Amino acid sequence: VQLQASGGGLVQAGDSLRLSCVASGRTFRSYIMGWFRQAPGKEREFVASIRWSDYITSYVDSVKGRFTISRDNAKNTVYLQMNSLKPEDAAVYYCAATYPGTNWPYWGQGTLVTVSS
């Protein structure tokens, strides 16, 4: 499984940004796709996930109502729409994939999100 993330950049507080993650190498019907982030000096944290089979999503509390994870089957792509960005959202964002019985074994390279106040 290969994951390719993109879409990071420098934005101002309150702005929006959309991250993309293109997956390749396998079929993903049983997979869960997720986004994680890691800010300088902090541990990597879970941000959001979506089940490939039934669209069920999950979010960390700090982004609920502001971030939306979605996917496009035809493009094997997962998106993270980030609205009302805050300086504390600044981090390197990673997409990842997991399937039943595993703990996020697949990771893409990170994409940097910088939010100025």
Side-chain angles (χ1 to χ4, degrees), residues 11 26 41 51 56 83 93 102 108:
V11 298
R26 295 183 70 106
R51 297 205 314 203
I56 290 179
N83 298 331
Y93 283 72
T102 68

Side-chain angles (χ1 to χ4, degrees), residues 28-103:
F28 297 95
R29 293 191 184 90
S30 62
Y31 278 59
I32 299 172
M33 305 296 295
W35 287 96
F36 292 73
R37 65 186 179 187
Q38 186 168 21
K42 295 187 177 181
E43 293 186 354
R44 186 176 298 184
E45 69 167 346
F46 168 82
V47 176
S49 66
I50 185 167
R51 297 205 314 203
W52 205 269
S53 59
D54 56 14
Y55 296 86
I56 290 179
T57 60
S58 179
Y59 298 91
V60 66
D61 285 348
S62 60
V63 308
K64 286 181 180 177
R66 299 188 298 121
F67 290 13
T68 302
I69 188 170
S70 62
R71 61 167 175 75
D72 184 329
N73 285 357
K75 297 181 179 180
N76 272 356
T77 300
V78 177
Y79 304 100
L80 185 67
Q81 177 66 43
M82 305 184 295
N83 298 331
S84 302
L85 281 161
K86 304 176 181 181
E88 51 264 42
D89 295 317
V92 177
Y93 283 72
Y94 299 88
C95 66
T98 191
Y99 55 91
T102 68
N103 184 27

